[in-house]
Amino acid sequence: MAQDNKGSIITAAAVVIVIAFVLQVVFVFADNKDAPHRAVIDFSKAYFWVDKSMDKRLCDAQRTIDGINVVDEYIQRVTSNAKENGWGINYMKSIIYHIETHTLSKDDSNAVVRLTCYKKKAINPLFPIVAKLFRLNKTYHIDETINVIKEDGKWKVCGKLFDLTNNQNLI
């Protein structure tokens, strides 16, 4: 009798493991599906990290203005501002967290997404811990409404983007 009980426990555990594995695969594929909110999050993370990969989520209409690559110009401006103040480019990098998106409107090729999150400096991996201990790091609340369009089958951000083309206050 004890043998049958042990066999059913092993069978039940195996079924639970298989179901968990299948659900994990489904969740991974669902998370990788392109959507307007995903474009906003990807672009925002790259923008505040001062990463050239933001170019991948920027619409063609805003990629170049008057023959100038907007992303390269932005990175150059941030780098120059950092050097003028005696800092390295890492001082200008920030992370965003507690990210929430709400799709305000959406059709087949256009969407409007509201992004709310918080931003902090992220000079290096240890900085957030030290900054929290000594209260060195300010937290900034971000609340932006961003237009997203579908280009070449992929959602891309377009329109006013955190003052990408006119960034007076880079710090």
Side-chain angles (χ1 to χ4, degrees):
M1 199 58 140
Q3 189 70 2
D4 290 333
N5 192 17
K6 187 176 182 180
S8 64
I9 291 174
I10 292 173
T11 303
V15 168
V16 168
I17 290 171
V18 168
I19 290 172
F21 178 76
V22 169
L23 285 175
Q24 185 66 32
V25 169
V26 168
F27 291 145
V28 166
F29 281 114
D31 189 45
N32 288 334
K33 183 181 177 196
D34 193 33
H37 73 277
R38 174 63 51 202
V40 169
I41 292 170
D42 290 348
F43 176 82
S44 301
K45 284 181 177 180
Y47 175 84
F48 290 111
W49 192 250
V50 191
D51 186 359
K52 185 157 175 55
S53 69
M54 73 179 96
D55 191 58
K56 294 176 187 172
R57 287 298 195 163
L58 191 59
C59 68
D60 291 339
Q62 285 199 251
R63 193 165 282 138
T64 58
I65 296 177
D66 297 331
I68 297 172
N69 184 308
V70 172
V71 173
D72 290 341
E73 176 68 22
Y74 167 73
I75 292 173
Q76 179 60 38
R77 254 193 340 248
V78 171
T79 303
S80 295
N81 191 343
K83 286 181 183 177
E84 287 173 10
N85 290 303
W87 304 319
I89 187 65
N90 285 344
Y91 184 77
M92 305 305 278
K93 294 181 177 185
S94 297
I95 57 169
I96 58 174
Y97 60 98
H98 293 300
I99 301 167
E100 291 184 18
T101 57
H102 303 284
T103 304
L104 302 176
S105 66
K106 180 183 173 193
D107 61 29
D108 292 341
S109 61
N110 295 298
V112 177
V113 177
R114 181 176 179 213
L115 170 78
T116 56
C117 61
Y118 293 93
K119 173 184 90 149
K120 279 188 175 183
K121 291 275 183 214
I123 297 169
N124 63 44
L126 188 58
F127 182 75
I129 298 167
V130 173
K132 188 172 185 175
L133 287 172
F134 296 103
R135 298 181 186 186
L136 299 173
N137 205 358
K138 291 182 183 177
T139 301
Y140 300 93
H141 183 258
I142 296 169
D143 188 348
E144 292 281 335
T145 302
I146 299 173
N147 295 321
V148 186
I149 64 171
K150 199 165 203 176
E151 279 184 354
D152 303 324
K154 193 164 185 164
W155 289 100
K156 297 185 179 187
V157 296
C158 217
K160 180 181 176 271
L161 303 166
F162 308 113
D163 295 327
L164 178 65
T165 57
N166 186 17
N167 200 345
Q168 301 300 319
N169 185 11
L170 297 173
I171 302 172

